[in-house]
Amino acid sequence: DGRKSGDTDFVPIDVDAVIKARIGRKKPPLKVLWARYLNIPASTPSTRHYRYERFCQIIAEHVRTHDLTSPITHIPGHTMQVDWAGTPMWLTDPITRTTTKVSIFVATLPYSGMIFAYGCLDEKLPAWCDAHRRAFEYFGGIAQVIIPDNASTASNQISRYDKTRDVNESYAAFLEHYTTAAVPTRAYKPKEKANVESGVKIVTNWVIHYLGDRTFVDGDDINEAIVERVDWINDRTPFRGHNRSRRDWFTEDEAADLINLPDLPWQEVTWKKARVSRDWHIQIATIKYSVPATYVGTIADVRIVGTHLAGLAGGAVIATPRLGTQQPSY
């Protein structure tokens, strides 16, 4: 219609050079590449450089039209990604007002986007496994592969010269009970569990920060609130541009592909040794348990399975008390 094209007034972008720079392990951000582009001299006084927003649009359009991206395709029921949220929640003692940190475990199913979260008093292996069990029960099944990060809770470095990590023996035994396995991510490779990284952000914003002004006095109280918020996230629509929620995607397309839960839930087995004292008691973690007086002075093997304790000596079971519990100190 006689109007002049605006592109002739701008310094041209070497799109191929930008794409080449963005391929490989060490990729400079687009803002750095735009700064390099600004150093290209203008051919005439009236020629201008593109602003950063337009620069990104041109690169994105080139990538789209030339099909230079490869979207990640997730298989229903194949993986569950897990991680700890970086932002904690807190329990408050109603009398002393002292606080105790609560770490938030997050699990996601990449195909449907389903999210699970649970608060734990620490990030040690028993809490790690218990949170997994609760996630399996929340989803009503088990994924074929669990993808944690490379934290020592889940894996150990094979040697000081090899960055490859091996799954912890106790964690592997737990997963074997649920007929699944873990594949820890490599160090400094968050994209290998990008779905749970996104899930952690969602939980941080819509659970942790949302509940930040509430006061919680015990673990049951805080986890009831977490579950309520997680259900809200999973039921929210639209999701992925469709009038379906995460739970709809899960129920219709993924739930049937999960591995069935075992008949009995996992119970950790721990072995300890304890000497029977002169007051015919054995002591485990500051708690004393009585045994027959005839075993005074002997060394007993103590087997702890879940919440049950068994003392063995001389090939016989000498005590079967229920494992004592200690309230956490606030």
Side-chain angles (χ1 to χ4, degrees):
D1 58 0
R3 289 180 294 178
K4 185 173 64 174
S5 172
D7 286 343
T8 59
D9 298 332
F10 290 90
V11 175
I13 301 172
D14 189 350
V15 178
D16 292 335
V18 173
I19 298 300
K20 183 178 180 180
R22 291 287 295 169
I23 297 175
R25 295 181 59 187
K26 297 182 178 179
K27 298 183 284 290
L30 281 174
K31 205 145 198 175
V32 171
L33 297 175
W34 175 68
R36 294 179 185 174
Y37 160 75
L38 295 179
N39 293 328
I40 301 175
S43 57
T44 64
S46 61
T47 306
R48 297 172 294 165
H49 290 85
Y50 288 108
R51 297 183 64 179
Y52 176 66
E53 292 79 7
R54 179 58 181 156
F55 177 86
C56 294
Q57 291 174 359
I58 292 172
I59 300 302
E61 181 67 16
H62 180 84
V63 169
R64 186 186 65 80
T65 56
H66 290 78
D67 196 21
L68 300 181
T69 60
S70 179
I72 298 175
T73 302
H74 295 290
I75 302 173
H78 184 259
T79 58
M80 183 178 85
Q81 299 182 10
V82 295
D83 201 0
W84 295 104
T87 305
M89 296 181 72
W90 300 90
L91 295 177
T92 303
D93 186 276
I95 299 175
T96 65
R97 309 306 297 175
T98 56
T99 58
T100 300
K101 186 174 76 170
V102 177
S103 298
I104 307 302
F105 170 88
V106 180
T108 62
L109 298 178
Y111 177 82
S112 62
M114 278 282 282
I115 290 176
F116 170 80
Y118 187 77
C120 304
L121 292 177
D122 58 56
E123 298 182 8
K124 297 179 181 178
L125 186 61
W128 175 255
C129 292
D130 181 64
H132 277 63
R133 175 186 64 81
R134 293 177 184 274
F136 296 154
E137 293 174 355
Y138 180 81
F139 296 137
I142 308 155
Q144 299 175 29
V145 178
I146 310 301
I147 302 181
D149 62 9
N150 60 337
S152 58
T153 309
S155 61
N156 294 319
Q157 188 167 326
I158 295 176
S159 71
R160 60 183 297 184
Y161 306 104
D162 189 352
K163 293 185 179 180
T164 305
R165 301 184 71 88
D166 188 24
V167 178
N168 287 343
E169 183 177 351
S170 298
Y171 185 39
F174 164 80
L175 295 176
E176 184 179 356
H177 177 80
Y178 285 98
T179 62
T180 185
V183 181
T185 60
R186 293 171 292 174
Y188 308 109
K189 296 291 182 180
K191 289 186 177 180
E192 294 183 357
K193 55 179 181 64
N195 190 263
V196 75
E197 294 286 344
S198 175
V200 165
K201 291 180 181 179
I202 294 171
V203 169
T204 300
N205 291 330
W206 291 104
V207 178
I208 300 175
H209 290 328
Y210 186 89
L211 299 174
D213 59 345
R214 288 180 53 177
T215 300
F216 301 99
V217 298
D218 59 45
D220 291 339
D221 188 22
I222 200 170
N223 278 307
E224 286 178 4
I226 290 173
V227 169
E228 182 180 347
R229 293 302 302 167
V230 167
D231 286 340
W232 177 84
I233 293 171
N234 289 329
D235 292 329
R236 184 173 54 175
T237 57
F239 177 60
R240 293 174 178 168
H242 297 272
N243 191 26
R244 303 170 70 191
S245 64
R246 286 177 166 85
R247 198 179 303 277
D248 292 333
W249 282 87
F250 172 76
T251 303
E252 297 171 13
D253 302 325
E254 187 168 30
D257 294 304
L258 295 177
I259 301 170
N260 293 330
L261 293 168
D263 294 334
L264 297 175
W266 164 259
Q267 290 185 315
E268 184 180 8
V269 179
T270 304
W271 287 90
K272 297 179 180 293
K273 288 186 178 292
R275 181 181 293 276
V276 181
S277 61
R278 289 181 294 179
D279 61 356
W280 39 273
H281 282 77
I282 57 176
Q283 181 171 320
I284 304 295
T286 72
I287 299 178
K288 291 187 175 183
Y289 304 91
S290 62
V291 300
T294 55
Y295 291 96
V296 169
T298 61
I299 302 296
D301 293 312
V302 180
R303 182 185 63 198
I304 302 173
V305 182
T307 59
H308 297 277
L309 180 148
L312 299 92
V317 177
I318 61 176
T320 57
R322 188 173 181 83
L323 185 65
T325 58
Q326 293 175 296
Q327 296 296 327
S329 57
Y330 295 102

